[in-house]
Amino acid sequence: MRVPRGGDGSRAIVPEPMEVTRENAWATLTRYTKSEALLRHALAVEAGVRAYGHKLGEDEELWSAVALLHDFDYEIHPTLDQHPQDGASILREEGWPEEVVESVLSHAEHLARPRDTPLKRTLFACDELSGFIHACGLVRPDGIDSLEPKSVRKKLKQPSFAAGVHRDEVYQGAELIGVDLDEHIAFLIAALRPIARDLGLRTTADATAAT
Ligand SMILES: [Fe+2]
Ligand SMILES: [Fe+2]
């Protein structure tokens, strides 16, 4: 922390700017989040958002950091009258730049903030769907290794499956980034496969061993 003196001699606490890296985002996230399910959600959303960032030639560290941080305060602020808006002040106190804070805030439907950058749109498009793909993988013997968009779409039409996932946000998200839903699903499945173990999913090797 720097404590500069104002012209009137008053002291204001101004945090040192936080360098936007995946590592720093992970440190902030894990300072406030202990739940394995929430950490897995953060990792899944990050994998999707970062893969899109890579595809679009964007700043992957920034995209990773925002994705990891988007629900960082959910454990301490589990209701929408606090999440994520009260988390924003914590991020500012930690020195995260406004671009990160604004991007985090933009994922929340109830705040109705503009999704006016590719990063904000991509975060929204990956948030619910990565959770849904994860849920699909949990009920399959080989996780998401052989999962195809067709079966994900079928499950999306079953309201009782992963009932907490807002279907309308899944459809809106694909539309928002201008990607066909099947393509978007396939892209996210491919992004999540390399981290299947970290997400607690089985893989083809488990399915083979079980037969
Ligand atoms: Fe959230
Ligand atoms: Fe989320």
Side-chain angles (χ1 to χ4, degrees):
M1 291 269 182
R2 266 180 301 131
V3 186
R5 263 175 205 286
D8 58 355
S10 64
R11 287 150 69 95
I13 306 276
V14 178
E16 291 288 348
M18 177 76 83
E19 196 193 340
V20 180
T21 63
R22 180 189 194 276
E23 201 184 335
N24 285 340
W26 182 255
T28 295
L29 169 66
T30 51
R31 203 163 17 255
Y32 294 94
T33 303
K34 307 297 168 196
S35 142
E36 188 171 57
L38 274 174
L39 292 174
R40 284 176 174 167
H41 172 63
L43 287 172
V45 176
E46 183 211 7
V49 168
R50 187 176 181 111
Y52 270 115
H54 179 76
K55 184 183 173 197
L56 300 171
E58 297 280 353
D59 178 347
E60 290 177 44
E61 288 291 297
L62 168 68
W63 285 44
S64 259
V66 165
L68 284 175
L69 290 171
H70 84 282
D71 280 336
F72 90 97
D73 70 324
Y74 193 73
E75 199 170 297
I76 54 167
H77 300 144
T79 55
L80 294 183
D81 59 336
Q82 287 193 294
H83 166 75
Q85 53 275 29
D86 288 3
S89 41
I90 298 176
L91 292 178
R92 290 190 181 106
E93 276 161 29
E94 288 208 353
W96 288 98
E98 224 30 49
E99 184 181 13
V100 168
V101 179
E102 271 305 319
S103 302
V104 165
L105 286 170
S106 76
H107 87 272
E109 276 293 83
H110 65 284
L111 298 180
R113 291 173 113 88
R115 301 199 174 101
D116 51 4
T117 66
L119 172 53
K120 292 177 185 176
R121 291 190 280 273
T122 304
L123 175 62
F124 180 72
C126 294
D127 194 2
E128 293 292 282
L129 186 54
S130 64
F132 193 79
I133 290 170
H134 189 219
C136 291
L138 285 173
V139 297
R140 295 167 63 90
D142 69 346
I144 55 173
D145 278 354
S146 65
L147 181 62
E148 289 186 10
K150 194 167 46 139
S151 38
V152 175
R153 261 195 294 114
K154 214 166 124 195
K155 287 250 186 282
L156 280 168
K157 294 204 180 93
Q158 298 170 9
S160 58
F161 182 81
V165 172
H166 299 107
R167 271 48 174 185
D168 49 339
E169 292 183 21
V170 170
Y171 300 122
Q172 273 172 38
E175 230 171 85
L176 192 63
I177 56 170
V179 178
D180 166 75
L181 183 61
D182 273 357
E183 246 176 74
H184 183 36
I185 293 170
F187 187 87
L188 281 190
I189 293 173
L192 296 188
R193 271 187 195 133
I195 59 157
R197 288 272 181 225
D198 298 332
L199 301 179
L201 292 171
R202 289 182 288 263
T203 65
T204 309
D206 301 310
T208 318
T211 53

